[in-house]
Amino acid sequence: MSYCAASEVAVRQLEFFENRHVLVAGELSDTFPVELAQTAASVTVFTTNFGYHRNLSKHSAVTTVFGAEFTADATVDMILLYWPKAKAEAEYLLAMLLAKFGPGTEICVVGENRSGVRSAEKLFAAFGPLTKYDSARRCSFYWGRCEHAAPAFNINDWFRSYPLNVANTSITIRSLPGVFSHGEFDKGSELLLKTLPALSGKVLDFGCGAGVIGAVMKTNNPTIDLELCDISALAIASAKETFRENNLEARFTATDVYASLPESYDYLISNPPFHAGLKTFYSATENFIAEAPTHLNNEGQLIIVANSFLRYPPLIEESLGNCTISAKNNKFNIYTAQK
């Protein structure tokens, strides 16, 4: 059984979880919660990652909850938080979970040192002391107890807004912590939006993030049938909020690549992700490209922006038989292919 380094450290501390009702949250992708269920009285996993939720839901020993906010009824007296790489996301999760479960709730925090887990003591200080109990595999493990009530949690307080002017369009972007381009505009997306052709028919914004690309496309092409998808519940919530803020309409789907997307489209458009956690991650984009022919209508187009060092053209050519660099700058290329 292969665990991430943080889970390997958590395994060393199973006595903390004996007969406890544990809520696991944060940046986790392995099946440690299933093993934890053999020690704990119950294990509930809250995840913002649809793919992880989908995979873990196959195990009956744990209960999984997917969403941007944990609102489910659950008996919890212990939180196990896997520290996310984005400090703002860690603050978001702490504020949400401690507001819900309150004083008396114990918490264990585990994470890679390079993810910034050492800042957990300072962030938790307002709620009570947090003590380091273990360090191995370049990870740290902390335990504490919530002694002071947390302020009421309102997800609307956590959205960051910023104006965007691109491709002859002025809109407002709204995003939650942990979402790509949180509070700033990505230069790859800018190149893509400035060079997109006029769009029609059914359009998919794959890996939509806060809805930047989708909102500009819909503003400039109001008649398109637009769907935005992402693996992250935080991204889906942000994209919905961006569209609400700008009085735009679209469909929003949480999915792991095409898992929740049975339809075909006239355009597959993306600034695809290539980072997951602290590791470079390509497989989602590789699958997106490989399966594109199944999800493109005849003469449909795949249009993506990517760092120029990424080796996507051979993958696109293998999938669709052609690949053109339709635009580029000193860092990014726009790749276009037609079915």
Side-chain angles (χ1 to χ4, degrees):
M1 191 174 296
S2 178
Y3 289 157
C4 67
S7 288
E8 289 180 356
V9 175
V11 167
R12 294 153 53 113
Q13 305 295 335
L14 286 177
E15 65 271 16
F16 279 97
F17 309 105
E18 289 181 0
N19 300 315
R20 310 308 299 273
H21 296 282
V22 183
L23 174 67
V24 183
E27 203 153 285
L28 175 63
S29 58
D30 61 39
T31 58
F32 172 67
V34 179
E35 178 179 343
L36 183 60
Q38 300 174 21
T39 298
S42 67
V43 175
T44 302
V45 177
F46 169 65
T47 179
T48 62
N49 185 296
F50 181 81
Y52 184 54
H53 165 67
R54 185 166 170 252
N55 291 333
L56 206 61
S57 294
K58 301 171 185 176
H59 299 275
S60 59
V62 301
T63 299
T64 63
V65 177
F66 168 75
E69 181 180 2
F70 188 86
T71 57
D73 293 328
T75 300
V76 172
D77 54 27
M78 167 72 80
I79 296 169
L80 172 57
L81 178 62
Y82 281 73
W83 201 253
K85 67 169 183 175
K87 182 179 178 182
E89 185 177 354
E91 292 180 281
Y92 173 85
L93 290 171
L94 276 176
M96 178 203 311
L97 297 176
L98 294 178
K100 184 171 179 65
F101 297 110
T105 303
E106 295 180 55
I107 185 167
C108 292
V109 176
V110 66
E112 295 186 38
N113 295 330
R114 62 175 180 162
S115 74
V117 69
R118 293 186 180 97
S119 64
E121 291 180 75
K122 184 176 181 180
L123 287 181
F124 192 74
F127 309 108
L130 194 68
T131 304
K132 187 175 181 177
Y133 273 82
D134 198 3
S135 181
R137 300 295 309 276
R138 298 179 180 176
C139 296
S140 297
F141 181 95
Y142 299 82
W143 174 88
R145 180 183 284 109
C146 181
E147 297 178 352
H148 308 291
F153 180 82
N154 185 338
I155 193 171
N156 292 321
D157 296 336
W158 291 83
F159 283 100
R160 181 183 295 177
S161 300
Y162 66 96
L164 176 64
N165 297 287
V166 65
N168 302 313
T169 300
S170 296
I171 57 176
T172 299
I173 305 302
R174 300 268 284 163
S175 66
L176 289 169
V179 176
F180 179 67
S181 287
H182 179 54
E184 59 183 309
F185 184 40
D186 172 71
K187 292 298 182 181
S189 296
E190 181 178 12
L191 177 64
L192 175 65
L193 290 171
K194 285 183 175 180
T195 58
L196 276 178
L199 304 174
S200 60
K202 294 179 66 176
V203 180
L204 178 69
D205 176 3
F206 175 82
C208 65
V212 176
I213 293 172
V216 175
M217 290 194 301
K218 184 64 175 178
T219 301
N220 288 341
N221 307 271
T223 63
I224 60 173
D225 179 4
L226 177 64
E227 184 167 5
L228 294 86
C229 73
D230 205 286
I231 199 169
S232 166
L234 298 174
I236 294 294
S238 298
K240 286 181 177 179
E241 179 67 7
T242 292
F243 272 60
R244 184 204 61 78
E245 179 74 17
N246 295 282
N247 297 310
L248 299 171
E249 293 186 359
R251 289 172 289 141
F252 303 88
T253 303
T255 187
D256 185 1
V257 194
Y258 294 108
S260 303
L261 300 170
E263 300 181 42
S264 295
Y265 305 87
D266 297 297
Y267 292 91
L268 299 176
I269 296 176
S270 182
N271 181 351
F274 70 100
H275 285 284
L278 293 164
K279 300 176 182 178
T280 302
F281 184 76
Y282 303 95
S283 64
T285 302
E286 291 174 352
N287 292 336
F288 171 65
I289 293 170
E291 299 173 34
T294 306
H295 295 274
L296 274 173
N297 294 327
N298 290 334
E299 299 186 357
Q301 291 187 49
L302 171 74
I303 305 174
I304 68 172
V305 59
N307 289 77
S308 55
F309 66 82
L310 296 174
R311 298 286 296 162
Y312 287 151
L315 300 177
I316 297 171
E317 289 175 358
E318 182 179 355
S319 175
L320 289 162
N322 62 101
C323 179
T324 301
I325 299 177
S326 55
K328 64 180 180 178
N329 59 23
N330 61 351
K331 186 176 181 181
F332 296 99
N333 289 343
I334 306 295
Y335 299 114
T336 302
Q338 187 168 34
K339 180 177 177 179

